[in-house]
């Protein structure tokens, strides 16, 4: 449970640090880029991956390239979602992305849906709609961005999870795939940062470099502790998966409402409860 709790905390810290970026005058595109430098270095130092599986003729190179493009793009979307919609909605949207993974499991990987899974899917979709619902004064605070960015996060993380499953199905160990993805994502993210610099005039700064390296530490720590939680609780992987998702939703809601005073209407609060119920239905045996 110790590793699981650390994974939950580090996952929420990623969103918290993105939320605080403007307060500390940090440029998010630069942070996302340098995050991959730190995360990639930590993968090499801590996990010591063998890259031999990536040299095999049947290695999923195109899938890894797709992930290298998608990872920094969705990380930027998460930053925009946290800024415009808040931590609570962003974390729930990210965790509900398992709905897309499940649909892909039915359509692409031959998994047979059960009544319980279908009920979880339906409930999850209702929860997603409830979470992005904005009415009255709240709807005018950030306009369409307040509901659009969480939906992008939902779709993006779902696509990433599907691609990761394809990499795993090809027999590539998780450490090797992480090393490849982070190494390939770094130049892509730097390209995004350069484009953002051209548009905004924001210079590359040591402050944003330091903020990005810290973001990379949180990102890697989230992955590392989650993997170690699976090792420590190897007899019950479904519990680890469910507890991780439910824990992030619960802690993200607490931090968003208490620390950042994010406003949740009745429909949004109902969405949080429905999301937790859907995740439990889909992941707990």
């Amino acid at each position: 449970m110790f590793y699981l709790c650390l994974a939950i905390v580090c996952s929420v810290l990623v969103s918290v640090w993105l939320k605080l970026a403007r307060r500390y005058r940090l440029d998010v595109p630069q942070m996302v880029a340098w995050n991959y430098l730190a995360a990639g270095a930590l993968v090499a130092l801590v996990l010591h991956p063998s890259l031999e599986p990536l040299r095999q003729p049947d290695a999923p190179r195109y899938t890894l390239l797709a992930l290298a493009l998608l990872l920094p793009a969705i990380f930027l979307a998460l930053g925009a979602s946290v800024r415009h919609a808040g931590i609570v909605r962003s974390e729930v949207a990210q965790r509900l992305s398992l709905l897309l993974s499940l649909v892909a499991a039915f359509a692409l990987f031959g998994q047979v849906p059960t009544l319980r899974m279908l009920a979880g899917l339906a409930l999850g979709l209702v929860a997603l709609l409830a979470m992005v619902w904005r009415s009255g004064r709240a709807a005018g605070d950030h306009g369409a961005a307040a509901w659009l960015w969480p939906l992008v996060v939902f779709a993006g993380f779902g696509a990433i999870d599907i691609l990761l499953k394809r990499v795993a199905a090809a027999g590539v160990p998780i450490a090797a795939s992480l090393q490849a993805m982070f190494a390939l994502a770094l130049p892509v993210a730097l390209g995004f940062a350069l484009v953002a610099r051209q548009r905004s005039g924001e210079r590359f700064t040591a402050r944003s470099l330091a903020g990005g390296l810290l973001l990379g530490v949180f990102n890697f720590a989230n992955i590392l502790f989650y993997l170690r939680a699976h090792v420590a609780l190897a007899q019950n992987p479904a519990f680890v998966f469910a507890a991780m998702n439910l824990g992030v939703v619960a802690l993200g809601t607490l931090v968003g409402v208490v620390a950042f005073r994010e406003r949740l209407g009745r429909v949004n609060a109902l969405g949080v409860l429905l999301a937790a119920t859907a995740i439990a239905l889909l992941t707990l045996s």
Side-chain angles (χ1 to χ4, degrees):
M1 285 298 293
F2 177 67
Y3 288 129
L4 186 56
C5 291
L6 287 176
I8 291 168
V9 169
C10 289
S11 178
V12 175
L13 279 175
V14 169
S15 293
V16 168
W17 193 226
L18 289 172
K19 180 82 170 180
L20 292 172
R22 292 188 71 195
R23 182 180 301 181
Y24 292 105
R25 304 195 309 279
L26 303 173
D27 182 65
V28 171
Q30 292 178 45
M31 289 173 64
V32 169
W34 301 129
N35 140 77
Y36 290 115
L37 178 63
L42 287 169
V43 168
L45 291 171
V46 178
L47 299 180
H48 309 291
S50 170
L51 302 183
E52 187 59 32
L54 300 174
R55 301 188 183 98
Q56 301 304 312
D58 58 348
R61 296 181 179 86
Y62 291 115
T63 305
L64 289 170
L65 285 172
L67 282 164
L69 292 170
L70 197 55
L71 281 169
I74 298 306
F75 219 139
L76 290 172
L78 178 61
S81 180
V82 166
R83 175 183 172 185
H84 294 290
I87 291 174
V88 180
R89 293 175 178 84
S90 301
E91 290 289 6
V92 171
Q94 181 180 344
R95 296 299 152 178
L96 282 177
S97 65
L98 68 90
L99 301 179
L100 295 179
S101 303
L102 201 57
V103 170
F106 300 151
L108 302 177
F109 302 109
Q111 183 174 342
V112 179
T114 64
L115 184 60
R116 182 171 181 167
M117 289 178 178
L118 293 174
L121 278 171
L123 202 59
L125 290 174
V126 174
L128 183 66
L129 292 174
M131 281 307 305
V132 300
W133 176 266
R134 309 276 281 192
S135 62
R137 178 182 172 185
D141 289 343
H142 294 275
W147 59 264
L148 179 60
W149 284 117
L151 291 179
V152 173
V153 167
F154 167 76
F157 275 98
I160 287 170
D161 193 57
I162 293 167
L163 291 173
L164 287 173
K165 282 183 170 59
R166 295 186 69 90
V167 172
V172 179
I174 183 65
S177 62
L178 287 172
Q179 189 74 85
M181 286 185 296
F182 291 160
L184 292 170
L186 175 58
V188 174
L190 283 172
F192 287 153
L194 286 170
V195 171
R197 181 181 183 276
Q198 291 293 324
R199 297 180 63 180
S200 67
E202 185 76 31
R203 295 183 178 182
F204 279 79
T205 64
R207 179 190 294 269
S208 293
L209 168 61
L213 294 177
L214 182 57
L215 182 66
V217 171
F218 292 150
N219 190 17
F220 172 76
N222 168 39
I223 296 168
L224 177 66
F225 292 134
Y226 181 60
L227 293 176
R228 293 198 170 169
H230 269 291
V231 173
L233 299 168
Q235 72 283 2
N236 200 348
F239 169 78
V240 176
F241 185 61
M244 179 68 186
N245 285 286
L246 291 171
V248 168
V249 168
L251 183 60
T253 300
L254 181 66
V255 170
V257 172
V258 175
F260 293 96
R261 302 188 184 282
E262 294 179 6
R263 294 193 302 271
L264 292 179
R266 292 180 181 178
V267 175
N268 304 139
L270 178 62
V272 174
L273 294 175
L274 291 176
T277 304
I279 291 169
L281 282 172
L282 294 169
T283 57
L284 289 174
S285 57

